[in-house]
Amino acid sequence: MAPTPDWVKHLKPSGAQGEDVLTQERAGSNVPVEQLNELLFTREVIERKRRILGILKSHQVFDKSQNYFSGRIERFERALAREKKLRLLIKEHNWDPDEFRTATELVSEPGPYGLHDSMFKVTLDGQGTPEQQEMFLTLANDYKIIGCYAQTELGHGSNVRGLETTATWNPQDKTFTIHSPHLTASKWWIGSLGRTANYACVMAQLIINGKSHGPHPFVVQVRDMKTHEPLENIHVGDIGPKFGYNTMDNGFLLFNKVKIPHISMLARFSRVDPATNAYVRQGSPSLIYGTLTWVRSTIVMQAGSVLARGVTIATRYCAVRRQFQDRDAPQGEKGESPVLNYTMVQIRLLPLLAATFALHFTGAAMMALYQESQKKMNTRDASKDSSMRRPGPEETESGSDILADLHASSCGLKALSSTIAAEGLEACRRACGGHGYSSFSGIGSWYADYLPTITWEGDNYMLTQQVARYLLKSARAVLANKGPANDTTRILSHFHSRSEVGCAFDIIGSDSDLVDAFAWRASFLTFEALKHRDEHKKPWNDLLVDFYRLSKAHSQYMVTKSFYEALQSQATTSKINTDTLELLKKLFRLFALHTLEQEASEFYASGACSKHQISLARTNTVMRLLKEIRPHAVKLVDAWGFDDWVLDSSLGRSDGKVYEDMFYRASELNPLNRITVDPYPDSAVLFRRVEGEVKSKL
Amino acid sequence: MAPTPDWVKHLKPSGAQGEDVLTQERAGSNVPVEQLNELLFTREVIERKRRILGILKSHQVFDKSQNYFSGRIERFERALAREKKLRLLIKEHNWDPDEFRTATELVSEPGPYGLHDSMFKVTLDGQGTPEQQEMFLTLANDYKIIGCYAQTELGHGSNVRGLETTATWNPQDKTFTIHSPHLTASKWWIGSLGRTANYACVMAQLIINGKSHGPHPFVVQVRDMKTHEPLENIHVGDIGPKFGYNTMDNGFLLFNKVKIPHISMLARFSRVDPATNAYVRQGSPSLIYGTLTWVRSTIVMQAGSVLARGVTIATRYCAVRRQFQDRDAPQGEKGESPVLNYTMVQIRLLPLLAATFALHFTGAAMMALYQESQKKMNTRDASKDSSMRRPGPEETESGSDILADLHASSCGLKALSSTIAAEGLEACRRACGGHGYSSFSGIGSWYADYLPTITWEGDNYMLTQQVARYLLKSARAVLANKGPANDTTRILSHFHSRSEVGCAFDIIGSDSDLVDAFAWRASFLTFEALKHRDEHKKPWNDLLVDFYRLSKAHSQYMVTKSFYEALQSQATTSKINTDTLELLKKLFRLFALHTLEQEASEFYASGACSKHQISLARTNTVMRLLKEIRPHAVKLVDAWGFDDWVLDSSLGRSDGKVYEDMFYRASELNPLNRITVDPYPDSAVLFRRVEGEVKSKL
């Protein structure tokens, strides 16, 4: 590659320098960035992040400069090298689980040990007997075996009962035979399995004496511990490149009648008695629903900061970037405007900025509620004479009112929040104009890696059915004048009690009325759906679209409510000054009114507000809020506290050196510039020079 | 890589085989696929496609099997090799421009000669003098020089007037000095420039005697004709990887006071007189607006087929893929349902299927209108005593009524259609569930390559201002009782004439009323915006969001109208049978009513329809249309006629062998499976084996 000439190195961007622009932006706002940062994360977490970031930056293996240029194999190899290094650092610095999690978050890429650390160990821990934990978990904790969780199959995603892989009990020699009867039985999408894992926790249909007992977990060795080659009659490999997530080796796995010992079946909740060959149930793995609720709550919580990365990048770049003069600018005033001054940019970015806070506070509320439910359940559990130790998240058969409500909420909120985050990231990328398309924007790859979240842990479309089912059940309970006293029945009862009175919400003048309007619309849609199902006897399939809308409406209500309540709570108000609280309330209003406006026809239809109110909200309030929030935009994204090393974005640099960084990466780092081609077609060769070497091919 | 074992090769998918499923789907519909295919493309074009596809498939260089696996450099090199081969094939088969265009469409990837063939040659042709054409265009046609079009700069996108690169006239030696005064002056995003081009048509500010005359085009050599190294004082290279479009070498370019001869400035419309050193204008390059209109019309036309690729893939896969039982299925009925039977899938896919036809007919109508306007202008031109030959698309100063209307329409429709296509493709990808995320779905890369279309040829957000400006102007003309008689003034006049009467559209019972409702809403928004701007004197910037909505509404009206009219026209009805025409009308209704429902609040607000109508459309008509169209979905996508080679998708295979193909690509083609890693962290090396070779690194 021709080195960057000296005359280029002396060039600067024209006009106001990005650095000065961002300095001015920051000087023009009184937002106390640190205070707000601490409100979001606590001082302890921020300090931890800072400390671990310092360690990561000091190791060459975590250098990101080639990330955007590398192909699949290189990226995977480097990701694996980083995973290894992280495990060495755990020992070296004696990191606790929180510190380790912080480190992986800062590295910000899916890593090949990912499913080992999460699902493989969690499953052993939750579903293995003490003997099995001794046998497998100890080794797994030491990375002597590397595992994964093999559930999904080529032909089977969300529907676990449809899995085809079988584990047949052999009474003669007290073993199981694991087998893949069809091509569609191949395990597929299994994280960490493609190249890395040598063990898998395989979900397979347990068959005893010709009878199927449904899917059960089996711990199976799949690769040789020394050569790392697949064991006999096992076909395993990587499933190929994906839209994102290419640092992860998602794998496939097929078995040709492979015998595994009795100990392989995780036996905490059910087992085969080797003496009688009988299937024995001992308790139920219902804790899985608790775990799922917890996992979904973390997705909600993370959605805010996932989106905040994109919003940070786009906001800073739109403050630095100038384009066109304001059409109404006085004749004398020269110069192009920062694009962040254009209302068309503001309406795309600022509601997303508001959404980052809305999702953050919603996630926090969910986590708090989850912990509260666990505490109550544990208290009750402890008071019972329970012979079985049941640590960790769980749900009793009867089901706590809180947890049932939380489970439904977590489904709907997981779907809504991950959709907001994914689509918001793409909106941020587009708000960066042409340069948003460059890998150096840092948004594209982050978006692509995040996308699976809308499909996994419950497909966002599928989940909405669970929410609707719960809401219909709650509405039936309200009509029958019974049912638990939780927030859902509260809003449904209120709506029902006013069915002949209607409502009057001051959506622009009162924040609590605004929340109530969301509750009203969700309740309206619930009773509409109930009427279709129970009175009109409509087929379930014909109602899926209504259910989807219903789930969305209910989840939007919850986000609005959580954001509102967070700003009322002492936990918030005690930590920030009045001006900042007022600014956050503006963000609340922007989020709620902008959402309301997007869904205006449902709000009309439910009677929650009038045409005139919507019109005022749209042309007046929202536009005014944009103007009022605009001066604080840069500091509000600063409050999320992303380090430049983490963002890895030219456009999102905290010092505003956007163009210098774009240019540096293209001119100094880009390996494509190391090759020289023969451009003429009739030479009929691809004459290629790579740093001295000459190649020729077609 | 371990070869796929024999026991795996014998495995088949379980249940109904994809092949049989699609055969049954096709047997269940009476759509005459060939007839519909011919309606879309004509028999001649289909035959041409078939012939050229045969040629392409016979050459190894066009083999696609490694496309999804390759890194940036490999992909670029292979794309360049393909471009070269295509040029050899032009000669070998004596292809005309249509045949060549067909070939590049079938290859379906951005190629490094792309900007040479389009903008570089078009600019020479349109803006060069005969002498310049003789000098440059002849060589360009023979690929003796490879050019590009260097307009956009690092700091300047849409605003051409803001370009920083200067071309200063030197009266002493009759040369220009091309210079990049700042880093932001670097040309950026220039297609074909990164590695391939040795010439560039550079847009630079012409400066004579200290006075700037605005941007002008200069033909500049940038690389050595033999060594292909950059010339002295020129810094040129590739700008780095992007979200997509990575087979193209978008480049940067900086000049350090480079002298170029007088002949370099393209002088058809303006030149520097070397004798007097004066700037001389001779006519205006207004034809550029005509060209832009034409380019945008092709974007509209292509949007239909761009989207149709994704819809084809998703529809076929959703027919093959089975998941869950229908909740209401009778107790005895076993088996999972094809996901295409679920209304939640139908509501995401079938309106997009309808949109493919809507966009196709809209594009065709635009092209026809464009050609008509050209014919009229040429007739008038010929009748004038014009000393200047002005071939090709153009616009006179006064402006033809048709062309002015067409120009505004093309802006709005470019924005709307490319947004529908891009977002539709992503919706198709998601409708494929987890497997949509695999590169083998074929949608992700197609989407990523298409995305720039929403930014280039006029950023979709920026363009809407031009549409609004035109609509406001037309509305003012209507209020003043004057203005040209085109469709826009017609609908605005009609709305205005009924301002005290209102309207009554039978949107569900009458297709023409449905179109009129779209016209009514667009007109309503136009007069609302006019009121804000002219009466309330609102700043332009405060109205950008309204303008965006207005442009969208007007463009949706045009698509609806074009689709409706196409189905009324003899050109359509004479070519297809009655059943098919009825089916297309259902697609029209689905497209229009689904769009109306999405924008319901604007339709309410304008009074174009009632709450009850919307509610009926939503819960009744749209759901019924989904049911009626569903059985024909597979054949309707078949009618788009994509060859499997073109789609390059496991999920979209026309024979339904979805799982076999996914598996084949993962197990046989995936190069990541050629490496074996050492999985243990404490080995502290990345022990790596690649086909015998052993590497070690961290």
Side-chain angles (χ1 to χ4, degrees), chain A residues 331-453:
Chain A
Q331 201 62 21
E333 259 179 47
K334 273 265 181 172
E336 298 185 303
S337 295
V339 299
L340 193 53
N341 287 356
Y342 292 109
T343 53
M344 196 62 228
V345 172
Q346 291 169 8
I347 195 80
R348 290 146 76 196
L349 276 186
L350 300 185
L352 292 174
L353 173 58
T356 62
F357 290 94
L359 294 175
H360 176 86
F361 288 120
T362 305
M366 295 269 294
M367 301 296 252
L369 212 56
Y370 177 77
Q371 267 143 16
E372 190 193 325
S373 75
Q374 290 306 302
K375 213 184 288 172
K376 284 194 186 165
M377 312 256 293
N378 287 340
T379 317
R380 198 175 47 185
D381 247 33
S383 71
K384 283 198 288 183
D385 180 25
S386 168
S387 60
M388 225 181 69
R389 193 180 58 96
R390 284 171 144 190
E394 59 184 326
E395 186 191 51
T396 58
E397 203 69 2
S398 70
S400 145
D401 299 345
I402 300 177
L403 199 55
D405 202 48
L406 192 62
H407 176 68
S409 309
S410 74
C411 291
L413 283 171
K414 182 267 171 182
L416 178 68
S417 63
S418 57
T419 303
I420 290 178
E423 279 163 18
L425 285 175
E426 175 60 12
C428 290
R429 200 189 60 70
R430 292 188 197 173
C432 295
H435 291 344
Y437 195 63
S438 165
S439 298
F440 308 150
S441 80
I443 305 179
S445 53
W446 182 243
Y447 165 76
D449 281 353
Y450 185 70
L451 269 183
T453 313

Side-chain angles (χ1 to χ4, degrees), chain A residues 567-615:
Chain A
L567 300 185
Q568 302 294 318
S569 81
Q570 221 248 325
T572 305
T573 55
S574 65
K575 287 190 196 125
I576 47 171
N577 65 34
T578 327
D579 283 356
T580 310
L581 185 64
E582 280 313 307
L583 183 59
L584 289 178
K585 285 185 177 168
K586 284 177 185 167
L587 287 170
F588 160 77
R589 267 167 234 142
L590 179 62
F591 175 79
L593 288 172
H594 186 257
T595 305
L596 181 145
E597 194 208 307
Q598 301 293 104
E599 314 284 349
S601 75
E602 285 181 9
F603 280 87
Y604 285 153
S606 74
C609 53
S610 70
K611 253 198 230 183
H612 186 60
Q613 284 176 312
I614 295 276
S615 164

Side-chain angles (χ1 to χ4, degrees), chain A residues 5 7 12 14 68-69 72 77 80-81 84 113 143-144 154 158-159 164 182-184 188-189 195-196 198 225 227-228 233 235 237-245 254 256 323-324 327-328 336 341-344 348 423 429-430 434-435 437 439-440 444 448 451-452 454 461-462 469 533 539-542 544 548-549 597 601 604 611 618 627 659 663 666-667 670 672-673 675 677-681 685-686 688-689 697-698, chain B residues 5 7 12 14 68-69 72 77 80-81 84 113 143-144 154 158-159 164 182-184 188-189 195-196 198 225 227-228 233 235 237-245 254 256 323-324 327-328 336 341-344 348 423 429-430 434-435 437 439-440 444 448 451-452 454 461-462 469 533 539-542 544 548-549 597 601 604 611 618 627 659 663 667 670 672-673 675 677-681 685-686 688-689 697-698:
Chain A
W7 58 268
K12 287 193 163 189
S14 62
Y68 295 135
F69 301 107
R72 176 90 208 283
E77 287 184 338
L80 181 58
K84 291 186 179 189
Y113 286 170
Y143 297 94
K144 302 286 183 206
L154 182 55
S158 305
N159 188 8
E164 295 182 43
H182 298 100
L183 191 63
T184 36
W188 205 264
W189 284 113
R195 301 279 84 200
T196 310
N198 45 26
M225 304 306 283
T227 67
H228 204 59
N233 286 314
H235 187 48
D238 176 89
I239 63 163
K242 297 144 291 187
F243 194 61
Y245 234 76
L254 279 162
N256 184 31
Q323 193 174 249
F324 291 105
R327 222 179 120 96
D328 291 328
E336 298 185 303
N341 287 356
Y342 292 109
T343 53
M344 196 62 228
R348 290 146 76 196
E423 279 163 18
R429 200 189 60 70
R430 292 188 197 173
H435 291 344
Y437 195 63
S439 298
F440 308 150
L451 269 183
I454 63 178
Y461 288 101
M462 298 298 304
R469 198 174 297 133
R533 181 67 179 165
W540 187 262
N541 187 24
D542 285 9
L544 295 180
Y548 172 76
R549 289 200 181 102
E597 194 208 307
S601 75
Y604 285 153
K611 253 198 230 183
R618 172 177 288 174
K627 272 207 178 75
Y659 300 116
F663 196 84
S667 180
N670 182 4
L672 187 62
N673 286 326
I675 68 162
V677 301
D678 177 335
Y680 308 110
V685 290
L686 183 68
R688 179 193 182 218
R689 264 181 301 262
K697 60 173 174 177
L698 187 71
Chain B
W7 57 268
K12 286 192 164 191
S14 62
Y68 296 134
F69 301 108
R72 175 90 207 284
E77 288 185 337
L80 181 58
K84 291 186 179 189
Y113 287 169
Y143 296 94
K144 301 285 183 207
L154 182 54
S158 304
N159 187 9
E164 295 183 43
H182 298 100
L183 191 63
T184 37
W188 205 265
W189 284 114
R195 300 280 86 200
T196 309
N198 44 27
M225 305 305 284
T227 67
H228 205 59
N233 285 314
H235 187 48
D238 176 89
I239 63 163
K242 297 145 290 189
F243 195 60
Y245 233 75
L254 278 161
N256 184 31
Q323 193 174 248
F324 291 106
R327 221 179 120 95
D328 292 327
E336 298 185 302
N341 287 356
Y342 292 110
T343 54
M344 196 63 227
R348 291 146 75 196
E423 280 165 17
R429 199 189 60 70
R430 291 188 198 174
H435 291 343
Y437 195 62
S439 297
F440 308 151
L451 270 182
I454 64 179
Y461 287 101
M462 298 297 304
R469 198 174 296 133
R533 180 67 179 165
W540 186 262
N541 188 25
D542 284 10
L544 295 180
Y548 173 75
R549 289 200 180 101
E597 195 208 307
S601 75
Y604 286 151
K611 252 197 229 181
R618 174 176 289 173
K627 273 209 178 74
Y659 301 115
F663 196 84
S667 179
N670 182 4
L672 186 62
N673 287 327
I675 69 164
V677 302
D678 177 336
Y680 308 110
V685 290
L686 183 66
R688 179 195 183 215
R689 266 182 301 260
K697 61 174 175 179
L698 185 70

Side-chain angles (χ1 to χ4, degrees), chain B residues 358-609:
Chain B
L359 294 175
H360 176 86
F361 288 120
T362 306
M366 296 267 297
M367 300 297 249
L369 213 56
Y370 178 75
Q371 268 143 16
E372 191 193 324
S373 76
Q374 290 307 302
K375 214 184 287 173
K376 282 193 189 167
M377 313 255 296
N378 286 340
T379 317
R380 197 174 50 187
D381 248 34
S383 69
K384 282 198 291 183
D385 180 26
S386 168
S387 58
M388 225 181 69
R389 193 180 58 96
R390 282 172 145 190
E394 59 186 326
E395 186 190 52
T396 58
E397 204 69 1
S398 71
S400 145
D401 300 344
I402 301 177
L403 200 56
D405 202 49
L406 192 63
H407 176 68
S409 309
S410 74
C411 292
L413 282 171
K414 183 267 170 182
L416 178 68
S417 62
S418 57
T419 303
I420 290 177
E423 280 165 17
L425 285 175
E426 175 59 11
C428 290
R429 199 189 60 70
R430 291 188 198 174
C432 294
H435 291 343
Y437 195 62
S438 166
S439 297
F440 308 151
S441 80
I443 306 180
S445 54
W446 182 242
Y447 166 75
D449 282 351
Y450 185 71
L451 270 182
T453 312
I454 64 179
T455 308
W456 69 30
E457 304 302 346
D459 175 274
N460 282 3
Y461 287 101
M462 298 297 304
L463 281 177
T464 61
Q465 291 188 53
Q466 300 197 35
V467 181
R469 198 174 296 133
Y470 173 76
L471 290 173
L472 292 189
K473 203 176 122 194
S474 301
R476 288 189 197 106
V478 164
L479 291 181
N481 242 323
K482 53 189 184 189
N486 57 32
D487 187 63
T488 305
T489 50
R490 185 186 65 77
I491 64 165
L492 292 174
S493 300
H494 179 255
F495 177 87
H496 183 59
S497 73
R498 296 190 62 94
S499 59
E500 307 209 333
V501 189
C503 61
F505 300 120
D506 183 11
I507 59 163
I508 296 175
S510 155
D511 290 355
S512 68
D513 272 28
L514 187 48
V515 175
D516 290 343
F518 275 84
W520 184 271
R521 161 208 178 214
S523 304
F524 168 80
L525 293 175
T526 304
F527 283 104
E528 285 288 296
L530 188 69
K531 192 170 66 189
H532 291 317
R533 180 67 179 165
D534 288 2
E535 285 177 41
H536 306 163
K537 307 286 179 203
K538 278 210 187 178
W540 186 262
N541 188 25
D542 284 10
L543 290 169
L544 295 180
V545 181
D546 289 345
F547 291 162
Y548 173 75
R549 289 200 180 101
L550 170 56
S551 170
K552 192 175 173 194
H554 184 251
S555 303
Q556 286 173 336
Y557 155 65
M558 284 188 295
V559 175
T560 313
K561 185 180 85 132
S562 304
F563 196 0
Y564 173 75
E565 285 176 352
L567 299 185
Q568 302 295 317
S569 80
Q570 220 249 324
T572 304
T573 55
S574 64
K575 286 189 198 129
I576 47 171
N577 65 33
T578 327
D579 284 356
T580 310
L581 185 65
E582 280 313 306
L583 184 59
L584 289 177
K585 285 185 179 168
K586 283 175 184 166
L587 287 170
F588 160 78
R589 266 167 235 140
L590 179 62
F591 175 80
L593 288 172
H594 187 257
T595 304
L596 181 146
E597 195 208 307
Q598 301 292 106
E599 314 284 350
S601 75
E602 285 181 7
F603 280 88
Y604 286 151
S606 74
C609 54

Side-chain angles (χ1 to χ4, degrees), chain B residues 28-53:
Chain B
S29 160
N30 63 354
V31 169
V33 170
E34 268 184 52
Q35 202 180 62
L36 195 49
N37 188 215
E38 282 178 23
L39 173 69
L40 292 172
F41 299 110
T42 76
R43 189 172 300 187
E44 184 200 342
V45 169
I46 295 165
E47 165 53 26
R48 185 202 298 151
K49 231 189 271 181
R50 201 199 48 73
R51 181 164 39 84
I52 290 173
L53 188 60

